[in-house]
C-alpha cells in the first residue's frame, strides 16, 4: 500500500467516487499578489497584477495560460521561492517569509543532481529535516517503491530514461509528505506514452487514502491535461497577468476524453484562451504596443493557418485542429491571436472562421496580398502602426531600431522587447511598409506606407462622420 504507515488525514478522507471529499479547508492562499521586476531602461516590468488564488484541501488546481502569462512565476510565489512585490502568500493562515514548509515542487527539467544516485537524489528532499539517517533512508525507499523505481536505487540519472528521471523528481517531492504538491509542467518534456502513464499513476496515488498530499497545483499549457487532472482550472491572462477565469471541472474519475462533458469543458477553456484581448482594437480605441503586444506568429505561420482553414471549408473547431496537427495550445493559439488581431479570423467559442478579409487575402495574388496585409498591419497591429507613424514624423523617414527597442523596454523584458520588434519588422517588411538594414539597424519608410496612411486616415474620417 502506498505510504501505508501514514494514517489517513481526518480532514480529507478518501477521495474515491464513493466517498465524500473535503475541499473547504484553505491550505495555501495568494491574496492580491503582484510581482514586478526592474526594467532595463528604468521603471518596472510587471509580471503579475493583483492575483488571488486559494488552494483547498482535497482538490487539484491547474494553472493554464499562454506562454509568458506568469503561471510558473505564480507557482514559485506559492512555493515561497520568490516574494511578491505586494500582497501576501499564506500557508495554513501564516504569511510565508521564505520557502513554504508544507510544499514540494516537481520541475519540468527534472532538476536532478547528476553526481548523486537515485536514492541520494530522493533523500535530498529530507536533508533539512530532523529525521535520522536511517529514517531518511527508509522514507526514500518508500517513495522510490511508490513511484515504480524499485531496483534502481543505485543508478545515476544518466543511466535513466527521461520518464524514469521524472519519476525520481516525483519521488523527491513525495518523500517530504507535503501538504501541497506544486508541479511546473512535469509531463511536457516526456514522450506522449510516458506522460500518459505518469499522469495515470499520479491519479492512482491521489485517490489512495494513504497518500499524504492534500492538494496539488499543476502548471500546464495543455488544455486536455488540465481537464484530465484538475478539479478546477484557473486561467491567467493579460499583461500583467491576472486571473481571467476559474472553471470547475465536474467530471468523475477516471475521466474519459471521449465524453461530451469532457469535450465541452475543453471547448470552454479554448474559448477563454482565444476570446480575450488579442482581438483587433477598434478604430480610435486606446491601444498601443505595450497594451496590445504582437502575438508570436510569422507571416508564413499566418498564411499556413488560413490555408489549413480553407482546406476545412473556411472554419474549424480549434481543439480538433490542435489534435489533428499534434499541436499543443501554445503552438496554435498565438497564430490564432495574430489572425484575429489582423481581422483574418473570427473566433466564437472554440470555433474559428475565416472572415471576408481573410478570404480576400488568401485569394489575392502576391502583390495584392502584400498590399492588403500592409493595410491590416498598419491599422490593427499597434507596434507596426507606431513604427510607421514614427517614421513619417522623422526628418528623413528613417530611424534606428534602438529607438523602438528603448520604448518597448518600458513594458517588456529585454528579450521580449527584442521579440516584439523582430515580429513587427517581419510583418512590416512583408507588407513593404518599410525597409530594414540589419547591419546599420535603420528602418526606412516606403512609398507604400504613405499611401496606406492616407487611405486609413480617409477611412477613419468616414467612420467618424458615420458615427
Amino acid at each position: 500500500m502506498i505510504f501505508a504507515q501514514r494514517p489517513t488525514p481526518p480532514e480529507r478522507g478518501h477521495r474515491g467516487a464513493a466517498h465524500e471529499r473535503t475541499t473547504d479547508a484553505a491550505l495555501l492562499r495568494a491574496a492580491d499578489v503582484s510581482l514586478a521586476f526592474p526594467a532595463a531602461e528604468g521603471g518596472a516590468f510587471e509580471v503579475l497584477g493583483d492575483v488571488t488564488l486559494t488552494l483547498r484541501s482535497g482538490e487539484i488546481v491547474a494553472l493554464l495560460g499562454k506562454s509568458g502569462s506568469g503561471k510558473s512565476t505564480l507557482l514559485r510565489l506559492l512555493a515561497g521561492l520568490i516574494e511578491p512585490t505586494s500582497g501576501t502568500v499564506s500557508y495554513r493562515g501564516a504569511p510565508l517569509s521564505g520557502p513554504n514548509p508544507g510544499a514540494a515542487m516537481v520541475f519540468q527539467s527534472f532538476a536532478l543532481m547528476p553526481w548523486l544516485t537515485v536514492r541520494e537524489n530522493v533523500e535530498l528532499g529530507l536533508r533539512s529535516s530532523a529525521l535520522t539517517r536511517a529514517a531518511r533512508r527508509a522514507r526514500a525507499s518508500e517513495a522510490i517503491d511508490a513511484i515504480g523505481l524499485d531496483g534502481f536505487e543505485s543508478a545515476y540519472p544518466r543511466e535513466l530514461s527521461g520518464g524514469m528521471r521524472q519519476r525520481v523528481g516525483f519521488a523527491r517531492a513525495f518523500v517530504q509528505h507535503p501538504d501541497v504538491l506544486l508541479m511546473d509542467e512535469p509531463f511536457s518534456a516526456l514522450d506522449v506514452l510516458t506522460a500518459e502513464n505518469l499522469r495515470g499513476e499520479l491519479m492512482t496515488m491521489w485517490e489512495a487514502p494513504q497518500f499524504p498530499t492534500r492538494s496539488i497545483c499543476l502548471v500546464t499549457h495543455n488544455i486536455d491535461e488540465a481537464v484530465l487532472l484538475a478539479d478546477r482550472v484557473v486561467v491567467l491572462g493579460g499583461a500583467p497577468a491576472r486571473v481571467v477565469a476559474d472553471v470547475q471541472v465536474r467530471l468523475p474519475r477516471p475521466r474519459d476524453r471521449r465524453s461530451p462533458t469532457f469535450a465541452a469543458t475543453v471547448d470552454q477553456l479554448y474559448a477563454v484562451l482565444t476570446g480575450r484581448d488579442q482581438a483587433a482594437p477598434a478604430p480610435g480605441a486606446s491601444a498601443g504596443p505595450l497594451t496590445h503586444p504582437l502575438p508570436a506568429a510569422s507571416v508564413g505561420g499566418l498564411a499556413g493557418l488560413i490555408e489549413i482553414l480553407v482546406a476545412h471549408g473556411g472554419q474549424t473547431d480549434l481543439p480538433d485542429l490542435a489534435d489533428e496537427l499534434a499541436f499543443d495550445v501554445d503552438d496554435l493559439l498565438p497564430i490564432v491571436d495574430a489572425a484575429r488581431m489582423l481581422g483574418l479570423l473570427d473566433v466564437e467559442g472554440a470555433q474559428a472562421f475565416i472572415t471576408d478579409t481573410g478570404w480576400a487575402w488568401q485569394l489575392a495574388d502576391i502583390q495584392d496580398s502584400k498590399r492588403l496585409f500592409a493595410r491590416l498591419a498598419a491599422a490593427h497591429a499597434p507596434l507596426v502602426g507606431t513604427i510607421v507613424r514614427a517614421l513619417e514624423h522623422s526628418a528623413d523617414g528613417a530611424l534606428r531600431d534602438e529607438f523602438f527597442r528603448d520604448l518597448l523596454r518600458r513594458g517588456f523584458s529585454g528579450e521580449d522587447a527584442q521579440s516584439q520588434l523582430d515580429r513587427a519588422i517581419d510583418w512590416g517588411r512583408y507588407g513593404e511598409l518599410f525597409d530594414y538594414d540589419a547591419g546599420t539597424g535603420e528602418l526606412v519608410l516606403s512609398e507604400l506606407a504613405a499611401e496606406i496612411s492616407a487611405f486609413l486616415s480617409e477611412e477613419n474620417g468616414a467612420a467618424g462622420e458615420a458615427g
Side-chain angles (χ1 to χ4, degrees):
M1 189 70 72
I2 299 169
F3 303 106
Q5 80 276 22
R6 301 264 304 172
T8 303
E11 69 185 76
R12 184 181 68 184
H14 193 282
R15 287 155 301 187
H19 297 264
E20 189 70 22
R21 296 182 62 183
T22 302
T23 58
D24 57 347
L27 291 176
L28 187 54
R29 178 173 171 80
D32 299 317
V33 296
S34 297
L35 184 68
F37 298 111
E41 302 299 324
F45 171 60
E46 294 185 271
V47 181
L48 299 172
D50 297 322
V51 172
T52 293
L53 173 68
T54 300
L55 302 182
R56 298 179 179 86
S57 179
E59 70 173 353
I60 299 176
V61 175
L63 299 179
L64 185 67
K66 302 172 186 176
S67 291
S69 62
K71 305 183 298 295
S72 295
T73 300
L74 179 56
L75 200 72
R76 280 157 175 74
L77 283 171
L78 296 174
L81 300 180
I82 52 178
E83 294 184 4
T85 306
S86 62
T88 59
V89 179
S90 301
Y91 168 62
R92 291 189 174 274
L96 292 180
S97 57
N100 190 332
M105 283 197 70
V106 178
F107 300 92
Q108 175 184 0
S109 59
F110 315 142
L112 303 181
M113 304 302 172
W115 58 89
L116 299 180
T117 65
V118 166
R119 184 188 300 281
E120 291 166 339
N121 266 288
V122 173
E123 285 189 28
L124 274 179
L126 297 173
R127 285 292 176 88
S128 61
S129 73
L131 295 174
T132 65
R133 181 178 179 182
R136 289 201 304 267
R137 188 178 183 88
R139 182 86 71 86
S141 294
E142 174 196 21
I144 289 169
D145 289 348
I147 202 64
L149 286 174
D150 186 26
F152 291 89
E153 292 88 346
S154 299
Y156 288 90
R158 67 178 179 273
E159 300 172 311
L160 305 176
S161 66
M164 293 173 75
R165 289 198 294 271
Q166 188 57 297
R167 287 174 187 271
V168 179
F170 274 105
R172 185 178 54 196
F174 295 157
V175 77
Q176 302 173 55
H177 291 179
D179 262 354
V180 182
L181 182 63
L182 305 174
M183 302 195 297
D184 192 0
E185 303 204 42
F187 310 108
S188 62
L190 306 176
D191 64 82
V192 173
L193 182 59
T194 301
E196 191 67 15
N197 287 338
L198 266 179
R199 289 188 198 102
E201 290 174 22
L202 176 65
M203 289 298 95
T204 298
M205 286 187 284
W206 172 251
E207 292 291 333
Q210 294 82 12
F211 191 53
T213 296
R214 292 164 169 80
S215 181
I216 295 176
C217 186
L218 164 78
V219 164
T220 182
H221 62 262
N222 186 314
I223 294 178
D224 271 34
E225 181 174 271
V227 177
L228 188 68
L229 300 179
D231 302 296
R232 190 158 57 93
V233 181
V234 175
V235 183
L236 296 181
R242 293 178 170 80
V243 175
V244 298
D246 191 332
V247 178
Q248 295 286 335
V249 182
R250 305 185 187 281
L251 289 165
R253 291 190 174 94
R255 291 176 179 168
D256 182 0
R257 284 188 171 95
R258 298 165 298 179
S259 77
T261 307
F262 191 101
T265 307
V266 168
D267 285 355
Q268 180 184 1
L269 290 168
Y270 262 94
V272 172
L273 286 168
T274 60
R276 295 198 59 78
D277 60 0
Q278 293 296 347
S286 176
L290 301 185
T291 57
H292 284 73
L294 302 183
S298 66
V299 176
L302 286 164
L305 177 63
I306 297 300
E307 288 172 7
I308 289 171
L309 261 70
V310 167
H312 285 73
Q315 68 181 70
T316 190
D317 180 82
L318 290 173
D320 289 347
L321 181 61
D323 288 342
E324 179 182 326
L325 301 177
F327 280 175
D328 284 333
V329 65
D330 272 10
D331 300 318
L332 186 60
L333 292 184
I335 309 175
V336 172
D337 287 341
R340 292 183 68 241
M341 173 179 273
L342 295 173
L344 302 172
L345 285 185
D346 278 335
V347 177
E348 297 177 9
Q351 296 288 320
F353 306 85
I354 301 180
T355 63
D356 290 344
T357 301
W359 281 110
W361 187 53
Q362 168 66 21
L363 298 173
D365 61 31
I366 293 294
Q367 289 307 313
D368 286 344
S369 170
K370 287 188 173 187
R371 293 177 72 87
L372 178 55
F373 187 88
R375 185 183 303 171
L376 296 173
H380 300 304
L383 180 53
V384 176
T386 294
I387 291 174
V388 170
R389 288 189 295 275
L391 293 174
E392 286 176 333
H393 287 85
S394 66
D396 57 357
L399 287 169
R400 296 287 298 275
D401 56 8
E402 194 62 37
F403 170 74
F404 300 104
R405 195 176 295 112
D406 285 350
L407 293 177
L408 288 167
R409 284 176 181 151
R410 302 291 178 181
F412 299 98
S413 66
E415 183 179 347
D416 288 341
Q418 185 61 53
S419 295
Q420 286 290 304
L421 184 56
D422 290 345
R423 206 162 297 138
I425 289 172
D426 174 49
W427 291 16
R429 290 180 72 182
Y430 173 79
E432 298 181 358
L433 289 167
F434 45 77
D435 294 320
Y436 177 64
D437 187 326
T440 64
E442 190 174 59
L443 292 99
V444 180
L445 192 70
S446 71
E447 292 181 5
L448 177 61
E451 218 178 282
I452 296 293
S453 293
F455 173 84
L456 293 176
S457 295
E458 290 177 10
E459 196 175 60
N460 289 339
E465 289 177 11

